[in-house]
Amino acid sequence: MKTRFILINTSHAGNVGACARAMKTMGFDELVLVAPRWPNVLRREETIQRASGALDVLKNARIVETLDEALDGVSHLCATAMTPRDFGPPTRAPRAHFDLLLKKELPPPVFKGLEAENTKNTPIPTVEAGIGFLFGCERFGMSNEDVYRCHVALQIPTDPNFGSLNLGAAIQVIAYEWRQALGGFAVHSAMLAPTLADAAQVAGMLAHWQA
């Protein structure tokens, strides 16, 4: 399924590299940066070091000037905001939202603070064209204006006394939850599957013991 990670006004080059690495470990590769602090952020040494091998994600990443450009081809947009808004889309935990989304059980979006008649004819959001995950800048998070453009505000369940997550860590959690919702990857075992010994091998083992 088409999945895009969108970073708005990213200020730390290292975080871009960490995000690329987090995405690649979960099998995602579409990264778009909206007006980052450094125009050459994809080529900066700190970015490359923190990517730790996810250079293909950096190579294919795009830099655009506006959020509108980044959203082309996205039909379902998820904000990632730790602070609930009084207005705007509903707030859900990632796992719960993905379960509803893939089962096509999402109710029509009703934005807090808006009259019901303004949203009752709004179609139920789908991921047919693609899903986008929107992340704000490190210092200020996401603006209300950007959150209001989304179908949902995903809130990672954290300790209520300390909910601060590094950008790379937040992307890792969202990428993991989305990959699991899509079916996940098999766990890789370092041990080979056991095989039964044949008659000759058993006889050889007994002879060795007797010796």
Side-chain angles (χ1 to χ4, degrees), residues 107-131:
V110 177
F111 288 71
K112 294 175 288 183
L114 298 180
E115 297 298 330
E117 57 266 24
N118 292 334
T119 59
K120 63 182 179 181
N121 294 320
T122 304
I124 297 175
T126 67
V127 289
E128 292 177 359
I131 188 170

Side-chain angles (χ1 to χ4, degrees), residues 10-18 38 41 44 46-48 50 138:
T10 311
S11 60
H12 297 288
N15 281 340
V16 174
W38 308 101
V41 65
R44 293 180 70 88
E46 185 180 1
T47 306
I48 294 172
R50 291 285 299 278
E138 296 91 334

